Amino acid sequence: MKIEQIYTGCLAQGAYYITSNGEAAIIDPLREIQPYLDRLERDNVKLKYIFETHFHADFVSGHIDLSKETEAPIVYGPNAACEFECISAKDGQEFKLGNVTIKALHTPGHTMESTTYLLIDQDGKDYAIFSGDTLFIGDVGRPDLAQKAEGMTQDQLAGILFHSLRDKIMTLNDDVIVYPAHGAGSACGKNMSKETVSTIGNQKATNYALRADMTEAEFIEEVTDGLLPPPAYFSMNVAMNKQGYESFETVLHNGMKAIDAKEFEAVAEETGALILDTRKSGDFAKGFIPQSINIGINGDFAPWVGTLVGDVKQPIILVTELGLEEETVTRLSRVGFDSIIGHLEGGFEAWEKAGFEIDTVNRISAEQFANQFNIKEDKVIDVRKETEYEAEHIEDAYSKPLAYINDWVKDINPNEHFYLHCAGGYRSMIAASILQARGFRNFSEIDGGFGAISKTNIPKSDFVCQSKVLK
């Protein structure tokens, strides 16, 4: 028996590849399936099952394409109303894989079809669980994502999750390994650990949601406290995972279409496409195609596109660093953005050489900011998360998280200058590009963000550890 966690950092997502005696299973695969096919061929094993822990909201799974290529059946838990051929496993149903057994444990609460898969080794011993979004390391799945579809409140789902954890998971031996679907950075929980593997015993000892003396009412209150609204693309990803989707190869083919600089603007106007520039924030600030939105590929790229663009059907035309076109299309497809028309041939340099109009962002250093800033007169907008702001911030700065820019942008006075920053410059440049696309130019964006500002003499609030803020 062999288990491999295939972790994708930009999505904070873990897929699992299991082999035993010539047979394989894959749990929660990503959209692009060629790496799995290559691995199966290299290991000379046959894919027997594709297990899905639930209908994912934060990414589009590769289950349908993978099943078409390998003829392996797709397995979901109870209550899974797939619009394609799949096995909806019964609670306790067992699936043989070589010398081991995978048992479906129905663990609703995050969603009603959520299922944990228990791996039983060749000696009949409970070895590991693949807990999906039911149990994370340090947290549990948020219970608010399925309420619209199920006609239930988040409190009702949280109550169901309480019993799933205690009746199905906490009864397992302490040495059983826990393999979750996500780690820190995912929007599917609120306080996940950076660790991606643990044990039942360790989670009983350290996970706030698994306290032995916790009542159901306490669980509901603590699990639902501080939940932020889910990103708009979540419901669309669920629908794609449930109903089916365009082949990844088709999406990649379309996105890899190179568009000449002379044709680029016309194509964007004719299609109503969003111009998405995925270069580094510093490069973008120095020059970009007017009306472009900057979301750098070297950050939490796909989740930010999903959060800020929202509609997965929005046509997109790309400006990328040379050589990163395929990677960009791939990462967009993982969160369901399939309407990618193509990319600028030759990158931004080709646009610049052609002599077309360019725009810039007024980016200043933290030192310049410190020299210019007047705390009694100047306005500062901090686009970090609320917990980051509460931990420490510039005195009298306004907390305006990037995730809510579509709500707070309407409150900006276009005649009043302000300073804009995040933690390091990634998110504030996203905000800057959105603001300029909407006609606002009355701001200065601070390079290096709060990390650089904290080294100056700018007055700041007293530091509070973020772990305390989260409690």
Side-chain angles (χ1 to χ4, degrees), residues 31 84 100 145 198 275 280 363 451:
R31 180 84 178 267
F84 46 83
V100 303
L145 299 183
S198 186
I275 302 174
K280 296 180 179 68
R363 167 171 268 198

Side-chain angles (χ1 to χ4, degrees), residues 61 77 93 148 235 410:
S61 179
Q93 185 171 344
K148 291 182 180 179
S235 61
K410 63 182 181 295

Side-chain angles (χ1 to χ4, degrees), residues 84-158:
F84 46 83
E85 187 173 349
C86 77
I87 297 171
S88 183
K90 297 178 181 178
D91 184 28
Q93 185 171 344
E94 296 184 350
F95 298 85
K96 296 295 182 182
L97 183 75
N99 298 327
V100 303
T101 301
I102 296 178
K103 183 177 182 180
L105 303 178
H106 188 209
T107 50
H110 173 66
T111 65
M112 288 306 291
E113 80 283 352
S114 286
T115 296
T116 295
Y117 295 103
L118 171 64
L119 176 63
I120 303 169
D121 69 18
Q122 61 186 24
D123 298 321
K125 183 180 183 297
D126 294 347
Y127 183 81
I129 57 169
F130 303 89
S131 54
D133 286 20
T134 295
L135 175 63
F136 299 125
I137 310 307
D139 202 0
V140 293
R142 55 191 294 174
D144 61 323
L145 299 183
Q147 55 184 322
K148 291 182 180 179
E150 306 296 341
M152 304 175 75
T153 67
Q154 66 178 23
D155 285 4
Q156 288 173 321
L157 283 163

Side-chain angles (χ1 to χ4, degrees), residues 42-55:
R42 187 167 68 248
D43 293 346
N44 193 29
V45 293
K46 177 179 175 58
L47 185 63
K48 191 173 183 181
Y49 296 111
I50 302 161
F51 291 102
E52 291 283 0
T53 54
H54 62 296
F55 293 120

Side-chain angles (χ1 to χ4, degrees), residues 56-59 142 145 187-188 230-239 306 310:
H56 303 284
D58 61 312
F59 72 97
R142 55 191 294 174
L145 299 183
C188 293
Y233 76 103
F234 269 28
S235 61
M236 300 177 195
N237 277 197
V238 170

